[in-house]
Amino acid sequence: SLQIKPGDWHSIAVILYVYGYNYLRSQCAYDVAPGGLLASVYHLTRIAYGIDQPEEVCIKVFAPRWNPRMPPVFWVWKSADFQERESYDMLGIFYDNHPRLKRILMPESWIGWPLRKDYIAPNFIHTTNFISILFFNPSDSLIILSS
């Protein structure tokens, strides 16, 4: 596992590709700690003919929460397209110059980044004068009790 600064990531990605890491197995992102860094993680595999055991490397690119920006690797591995968009959508990591960086899971009107540890979910349902209880009875039919 390698830890890389956002400013160095694009150059390192190109070097890894040139050295045979031609397959982006997965990309994900996570919130390191509340108020801390955000990480974008890339799992790369070196696939070549005649190799029984492919080489793998895990790259972690850390960005500050207040300005989580890094270069995309869409231009190196096209499979990063949806994966980087999901990291943007859920954690707010901006991949500069990504060709289609927009929400992919949440509506465009959504406010905030749902997978950040300091995210506070908006209160969409007001239940002050209404209570619903949902349960299944032994005959597997749904029963709804409302008051």
Side-chain angles (χ1 to χ4, degrees), residues 56-99:
E56 298 178 348
V57 64
C58 175
I59 308 292
K60 294 182 180 181
V61 185
F62 292 95
R65 171 183 241 82
W66 53 271
N67 187 21
R69 304 188 87 80
M70 61 186 64
V73 293
F74 169 82
W75 307 108
V76 180
W77 298 283
K78 298 294 186 207
S79 60
D81 183 17
F82 282 10
Q83 296 173 52
E84 288 179 337
R85 285 177 59 192
E86 183 179 357
S87 296
Y88 162 73
D89 194 9
M90 295 289 108
L91 289 153
I93 298 173
F94 291 87
Y95 297 90
D96 296 325
N97 300 318
H98 188 286

Side-chain angles (χ1 to χ4, degrees), residues 23-48:
Y23 178 60
L24 173 64
R25 188 163 33 106
S26 69
Q27 184 276 334
C28 63
Y30 67 96
D31 189 347
V32 176
L37 298 171
L38 300 175
S40 187
V41 182
Y42 298 83
H43 297 273
L44 304 171
T45 304
R46 186 176 185 188
I47 298 175

Side-chain angles (χ1 to χ4, degrees), residues 67-143:
N67 187 21
R69 304 188 87 80
M70 61 186 64
V73 293
F74 169 82
W75 307 108
V76 180
W77 298 283
K78 298 294 186 207
S79 60
D81 183 17
F82 282 10
Q83 296 173 52
E84 288 179 337
R85 285 177 59 192
E86 183 179 357
S87 296
Y88 162 73
D89 194 9
M90 295 289 108
L91 289 153
I93 298 173
F94 291 87
Y95 297 90
D96 296 325
N97 300 318
H98 188 286
R100 289 179 287 276
L101 191 64
K102 61 181 181 176
R103 293 218 184 249
I104 190 168
L105 300 172
M106 306 302 287
E108 283 291 331
S109 60
W110 195 268
I111 298 171
W113 315 108
L115 291 185
R116 286 194 182 187
K117 292 181 179 177
D118 57 359
Y119 178 72
I120 299 172
N123 186 5
F124 289 113
I125 302 171
H126 299 284
T127 58
T128 52
N129 295 322
F130 181 77
I131 298 173
S132 290
I133 301 171
L134 297 157
F135 64 91
F136 289 94
N137 67 12
S139 66
D140 291 323
S141 59
L142 179 64
I143 297 174

